[in-house]
Amino acid sequence: KTDFINFISDQEWKSIEPVSSWFGPSSFLMSSMSALFQLSMWIRIMVFLADCICPSKRYRPPQYPYSSKS
C-alpha cells in the first residue's frame, strides 16, 4: 500500500510508457480476440443444448437385450 502511495505522490507514473496501440482495448487485435472468445462461448452453449436435447451414444448406458428365460 505504501509503495502505491509513494508511486502516486512521487509522480513516478509519468516515467512509464503507455501501452502500445496494438494491445489497447479498442484495437483490432483485442476486438478480434474478444469476438473469438464470444464465438467459442456460443459454440459451447449450443453443443451443451444439443447434447441435452439429443444425447450422444457414449453417455447412454449400454442397452442389454431382454432375456426370455423364465
Side-chain angles (χ1 to χ4, degrees):
K1 180 178 171 182
T2 57
D3 289 339
F4 181 69
I5 292 171
N6 291 336
F7 179 78
I8 299 299
S9 63
D10 295 341
Q11 297 185 355
E12 293 178 23
W13 52 272
K14 289 183 177 181
S15 65
I16 296 177
E17 294 182 29
V19 175
S20 170
S21 64
W22 280 95
F23 299 109
S26 62
S27 70
F28 176 75
L29 179 65
M30 291 299 158
S31 297
S32 301
M33 292 300 292
S34 174
L36 285 173
F37 179 75
Q38 290 176 355
L39 178 64
S40 71
M41 292 305 295
W42 277 110
I43 290 172
R44 282 182 158 187
I45 291 170
M46 298 304 287
V47 168
F48 175 76
L49 291 176
D51 199 38
C52 288
I53 294 170
C54 183
S56 62
K57 292 182 181 180
R58 67 180 171 180
Y59 295 118
R60 292 183 190 163
Q63 299 293 326
Y64 297 106
Y66 295 106
S67 62
S68 59
K69 297 179 183 176
S70 300

